[in-house]
């Protein structure tokens, strides 16, 4: 039944969380239809409160006192809100009832925008705004020669000499073809210019080039025309190749073990051709740099913008909220601060997607953790740091530190006013010893101050260094910074000791080793602790659904003791157990207990 100043339809549509929120235009002429959002609900409420006060002659505080209510407490509506208003009442009673509904609306709206309680139960939105090919390999399907992307490591074996090509001393000298086996000096990293043209980087970080006499050396610090080569693949075997030098001639392995660029004959790809090499692909990367440079700017822009708009959508936030999760951790790359025109080869558009994400988070009462997953010059050699070739060069200069702080400043200033901003993570998984503790502490202190310039409430998360022998090395720094959080990542993977673990051994390891490790960094009066990544995946063959459930529950029990909370890696993944969406939908994980 409609009451004065608050049409019943207004209440119904808000409480049911429909797509639109409107006031009853027939009953209250002049009101406009508004998209459903808590802040718009407040606009309607303010109008109703104004009308109600005008009709009763009471001020807002007087009405509040008369009804025996207080607007100071947020998140809890009086239990008799609706029951009172459903009963027949005189006109003045209905006026009071209307205001009671106003207070209910204010309470519900405030609750909808409140930060999630700690500890949070979160999920990572991995493989979305920072590309990781293993999460969704099909993103790379349209790249020509997509097995030869930036950072791909190749070894070349002469079919005539039956020996591998090597950079003598790992670089700084000539190339030879005389190694019976291949290791670091015999491995070359690719810098891709186009689908068939490359630079070759050697172990010592020099580039292979051709000298005027046709000899091959690895002495250049940066590649130029003399360091640019073309790979020609055999039609019958893509891992038989010839290498064309800038002079238009092919490399050949000579009987004296030298390597020269002076072979001009055609080939039948036989084992008697000194210009033919059998190629071994050792490894490759599929990150943001590889997808952008592999497709080229125009095509990459189309591919990635479609991915950003379809991979994670509003309905996923509805699912996350309904499933009992309270926050999302969103990996972003440093180039987002330069959107819409980031440095090549990165493409623009991800910032608009992140903006939209905050609106969804506000609508579904989810906290957002912005995670700087890829720092400029790469804080680790993995594809998720957007490393070009597996190099790790972050933190080597003061300029690099300052550039990274500017990214944090940009993100904090842009989202500080959003009620869904829960935390900013200053960096994901810096790797020791490549990143020194001293440089990391300096950056964390500067990054913390950058966040605090714009927000006194957002938590500031500091990731422990991977491979550090001391998990407590950041505690002293973080303990002196209010609202700081230490992030640790726990996986029953990535270590050979897990290869032979049984179901029970994995569970026991979680309950003993990882529980102890978490206790070590969780200190009274110290920073909060966050298990920012974990997954219910292991190396146990042919495990049953019940065993996966036991493994997941054991981790949630242990990581639930982290004072800031935990975040599963990740929401979606072609590998089922890495997908929390799949795990929840198929009954492997339940969060509603």
């Amino acid at each position: 039944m409609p009451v004065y100043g608050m049409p019943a339809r207004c209440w119904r549509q808000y409480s049911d969380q429909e797509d639109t929120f409107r006031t009853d235009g027939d009953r209250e002429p002049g009101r406009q239809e508004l998209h459903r959002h808590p802040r718009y609900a407040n606009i309607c409420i303010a109008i109703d409160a104004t009308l109600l006060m005008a009709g009763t002659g009471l001020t807002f505080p007087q009405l509040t006192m008369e009804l025996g209510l207080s607007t100071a407490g947020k998140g809890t509506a009086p239990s008799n809100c609706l029951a009172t208003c459903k009963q027949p009442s005189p006109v003045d009673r209905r006026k009071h009832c209307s205001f009671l509904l106003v207070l209910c609306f204010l309470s519900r709206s405030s609750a909808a925008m409140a930060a999630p309680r700690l500890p949070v139960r979160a999920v990572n939105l991995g493989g979305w705004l920072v590309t990781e090919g293993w999460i969704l390999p099909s993103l790379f399907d349209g790249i020509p020669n997509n097995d030869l992307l930036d950072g791909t490591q190749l070894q070349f074996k002469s079919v005539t000499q039956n020996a591998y090509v090597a950079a003598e001393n790992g670089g700084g000298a000539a190339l030879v073809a005389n190694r019976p086996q291949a290791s670091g000096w015999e491995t070359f990293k690719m810098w891709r210019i186009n689908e068939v043209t490359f630079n070759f980087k050697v172990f010592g970080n020099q580039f292979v080039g051709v000298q005027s006499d046709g000899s091959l050396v690895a002495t250049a610090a940066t590649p130029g025309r003399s360091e640019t080569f073309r790979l020609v693949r055999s039609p019958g075997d893509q891992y038989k190749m010839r290498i064309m030098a800038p002079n238009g001639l092919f490399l050949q392995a000579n009987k004296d073990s030298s390597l020269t660029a002076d072979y001009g004959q055609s080939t039948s790809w036989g084992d008697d051709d000194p210009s033919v090499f059998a190629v071994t692909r050792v490894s490759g990367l599929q990150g943001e740099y590889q997808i952008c440079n592999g497709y080229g700017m125009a095509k990459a822009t189309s591919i990635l913008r479609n991915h950003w708009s379809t991979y994670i959508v509003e309905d996923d936030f509805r699912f996350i909220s309904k499933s009992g999760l309270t926050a999302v951790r969103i990996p972003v790359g440093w180039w987002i601060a330069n959107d819409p025109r980031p440095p090549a080869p990165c493409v623009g558009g991800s910032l608009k997607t992140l903006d939209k994400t905050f609106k969804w988070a506000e609508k579904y009462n989810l906290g957002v953790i912005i995670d700087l997953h890829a720092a400029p010059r790469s804080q680790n050699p993995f594809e998720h740091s957007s490393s070009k070739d597996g190099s790790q060069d972050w933190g080597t200069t003061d300029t690099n530190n300052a550039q990274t702080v500017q990214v944090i400043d940009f993100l904090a200033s842009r989202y500080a006013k959003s009620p869904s901003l829960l935390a900013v993570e200053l960096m994901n998984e810096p790797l020791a010893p490549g990143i020194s503790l001293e440089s990391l502490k300096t950056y964390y202190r500067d990054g913390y101050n950058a966040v605090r310039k714009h927000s006194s409430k957002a938590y500031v998360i500091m990731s422990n260094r991977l491979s550090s022998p001391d998990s407590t090395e950041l505690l002293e720094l973080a303990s002196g910074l209010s609202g700081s959080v230490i992030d640790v990542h726990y996986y029953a993977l990535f270590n050979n000791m897990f290869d032979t673990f049984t179901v029970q051994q994995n569970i026991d390891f979680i309950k003993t080793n990882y529980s102890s490790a978490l206790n070590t960094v969780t200190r009274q009066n110290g920073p909060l602790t966050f298990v920012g990544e974990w997954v219910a995946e292991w190396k146990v063959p042919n495990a049953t659904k019940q065993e996966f459930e036991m493994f997941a529950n054991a981790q949630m029990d242990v990581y639930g003791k982290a004072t800031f909370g935990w975040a599963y890696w990740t929401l979606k993944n072609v590998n089922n157990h890495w997908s929390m969406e799949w795990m929840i939908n198929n009954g492997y994980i339940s969060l509603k207990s």
Side-chain angles (χ1 to χ4, degrees):
M1 180 180 67
V3 294
Y4 180 85
M6 180 62 67
R9 186 180 186 185
C10 189
W11 170 267
R12 183 179 68 253
Q13 289 202 333
Y14 177 76
S15 62
D16 287 349
Q17 294 188 349
E18 294 182 4
D19 291 336
T20 60
F21 174 86
R22 71 172 72 216
T23 56
D24 191 328
D26 293 335
R27 185 168 287 104
E28 295 289 348
R31 295 192 183 188
Q32 298 180 356
E33 180 177 312
L34 301 170
H35 289 290
R36 188 261 170 219
H37 191 289
R39 69 171 62 132
Y40 297 142
N42 281 337
I43 293 173
C44 177
I45 292 165
I47 295 171
D48 284 318
T50 301
L51 292 172
L52 182 57
M53 286 186 286
T56 60
L58 298 176
T59 65
F60 189 93
Q62 288 172 332
L63 279 168
T64 304
M65 293 178 62
E66 184 176 343
L67 291 170
L69 301 171
S70 172
T71 57
K74 296 180 179 180
T76 305
S79 60
N80 65 340
C81 281
L82 292 177
T84 302
C85 296
K86 288 179 180 178
Q87 298 176 2
S89 58
V91 173
D92 59 344
R93 177 59 178 165
R94 288 172 60 190
K95 292 177 181 177
H96 290 186
C97 176
S98 176
F99 191 74
L100 188 60
L101 283 176
V102 169
L103 295 177
C104 291
F105 260 72
L106 286 168
S107 176
R108 290 172 62 89
S109 179
S110 298
M113 305 299 287
R117 290 183 179 180
L118 300 185
V120 298
R121 298 188 295 184
V123 64
N124 285 278
L125 304 186
W128 187 30
L129 302 185
V130 175
T131 303
E132 295 186 49
W134 71 281
I135 294 177
L136 188 64
S138 61
L139 281 175
F140 290 79
D141 286 351
I143 301 177
N145 282 339
N146 61 11
D147 59 336
L148 299 177
L149 300 175
D150 290 278
T152 299
Q153 298 187 31
L154 301 180
Q155 296 167 343
F156 298 90
K157 187 177 184 180
S158 167
V159 297
T160 56
Q161 302 305 312
N162 195 31
Y164 288 95
V165 175
E168 289 279 40
N169 302 318
L175 265 67
V176 295
N178 62 4
R179 298 293 202 274
Q181 296 177 325
S183 185
W185 291 4
E186 296 75 38
T187 302
F188 300 84
K189 292 181 180 180
M190 316 296 288
W191 278 23
R192 179 173 170 133
I193 298 171
N194 57 43
E195 62 186 271
V196 296
T197 311
F198 304 87
N199 307 127
F200 298 153
K201 189 177 181 182
V202 302
F203 184 84
N205 294 325
Q206 300 96 335
F207 291 88
V208 175
V210 180
Q211 299 197 103
S212 58
D213 62 356
S215 63
L216 275 293
V217 294
T219 56
T222 57
R225 184 179 181 278
S226 296
E227 289 75 37
T228 301
F229 298 85
R230 181 182 179 92
L231 289 180
V232 180
R233 308 184 94 155
S234 166
D237 182 353
Q238 65 172 347
Y239 285 108
K240 270 192 173 182
M241 301 184 195
R242 302 174 86 198
I243 307 170
M244 180 182 285
N247 61 10
L249 300 176
F250 290 95
L251 272 60
Q252 68 168 323
N254 301 299
K255 292 182 179 180
D256 63 359
S257 299
S258 66
L259 199 69
T260 54
D262 54 7
Y263 193 86
Q265 301 177 36
S266 61
T267 184
S268 60
W269 298 99
D271 289 346
D272 59 346
D273 189 334
S275 70
V276 174
F277 297 86
V279 179
T280 300
R281 184 179 185 274
V282 179
S283 64
L285 300 172
Q286 286 190 325
E288 195 80 15
Y289 196 100
Q290 286 72 32
I291 196 170
C292 292
N293 201 42
Y295 277 116
M297 180 171 291
K299 185 66 173 177
T301 298
S302 173
I303 293 289
L304 286 176
R305 288 186 179 179
N306 178 70
H307 174 62
W308 297 331
S309 65
T310 59
Y311 190 61
I312 302 291
V313 296
E314 180 180 344
D315 195 55
D316 292 312
F317 277 67
R318 183 183 292 111
F319 169 82
I320 291 167
S321 180
K322 287 184 177 180
S323 297
L325 294 160
T326 59
V328 290
R329 180 175 181 252
I330 306 179
V332 300
W334 63 270
W335 54 89
I336 198 170
N338 299 99
D339 206 275
R341 290 176 292 278
C346 297
V347 301
S350 60
L351 184 61
K352 287 185 177 180
T353 304
L354 187 58
D355 288 344
K356 186 164 53 177
T357 297
F358 269 86
K359 296 185 184 300
W360 295 340
E362 291 169 11
K363 181 173 180 179
Y364 296 103
N365 195 25
L366 294 169
V368 173
I369 301 164
I370 306 177
D371 158 41
L372 184 58
H373 218 69
R377 298 178 62 84
S378 301
Q379 75 277 16
N380 61 51
F382 311 124
E383 62 189 28
H384 59 70
S385 73
S386 192
S387 177
K388 179 176 182 175
D389 64 5
S391 298
Q392 174 191 1
D393 297 315
W394 183 91
T396 54
T397 66
D398 292 340
T399 301
N400 186 213
N401 181 310
Q403 180 187 8
T404 315
V405 172
Q406 288 172 1
V407 176
I408 296 300
D409 184 90
F410 171 83
L411 292 168
S413 64
R414 190 174 186 89
Y415 299 111
K417 293 182 180 179
S418 170
S420 280
L421 178 63
L422 177 62
V424 176
E425 182 152 7
L426 301 180
M427 182 182 293
N428 176 70
E429 295 184 345
L431 179 65
I435 293 181
S436 70
L437 180 59
E438 181 182 358
S439 65
L440 188 64
K441 282 184 173 181
T442 298
Y443 164 67
Y444 277 168
R445 189 178 293 106
D446 293 344
Y448 176 91
N449 291 335
V451 175
R452 285 289 170 260
K453 268 173 48 182
H454 306 286
S455 173
S456 61
K457 297 180 180 179
Y459 293 96
V460 181
I461 302 177
M462 305 174 190
S463 176
N464 262 355
R465 291 190 301 168
L466 295 180
S467 301
S468 170
D470 182 8
S471 64
T472 67
E473 63 185 15
L474 295 175
L475 288 185
E476 181 180 358
L477 168 68
S479 294
L481 302 174
S482 176
S484 62
V485 182
I486 297 296
D487 181 12
V488 293
H489 297 172
Y490 296 142
Y491 290 100
L493 302 158
F494 314 126
N495 189 307
N496 292 337
M497 71 176 176
F498 294 113
D499 290 352
T500 58
F501 271 24
T502 65
V503 170
Q504 194 57 50
Q505 284 175 318
N506 274 282
I507 292 173
D508 289 343
F509 192 90
I510 300 298
K511 291 184 175 181
T512 55
N513 297 65
Y514 280 159
S515 178
S516 175
L518 182 59
N519 288 337
T520 299
V521 293
T522 306
R523 304 282 181 87
Q524 187 175 9
N525 300 322
L528 299 175
T529 49
F530 180 41
V531 182
E533 293 183 20
W534 68 275
V535 68
E537 181 62 293
W538 49 14
K539 297 185 178 181
V540 178
N542 305 314
T544 66
K545 177 181 178 180
Q546 182 181 12
E547 289 167 338
F548 273 104
E549 289 181 65
M550 292 166 56
F551 185 50
N553 287 334
Q555 292 187 83
M556 288 189 287
D557 287 345
V558 170
Y559 307 154
K561 295 179 176 63
T563 48
F564 185 81
W566 54 252
Y568 194 91
W569 187 272
T570 180
L571 178 65
K572 297 183 178 183
N573 198 305
V574 295
N575 306 283
N576 289 340
H577 302 130
W578 288 85
S579 167
M580 192 169 216
E581 178 184 56
W582 188 92
M583 296 289 275
I584 291 173
N585 285 336
N586 289 275
Y588 284 69
I589 289 178
S590 176
L591 301 167
K592 293 188 175 181
S593 58

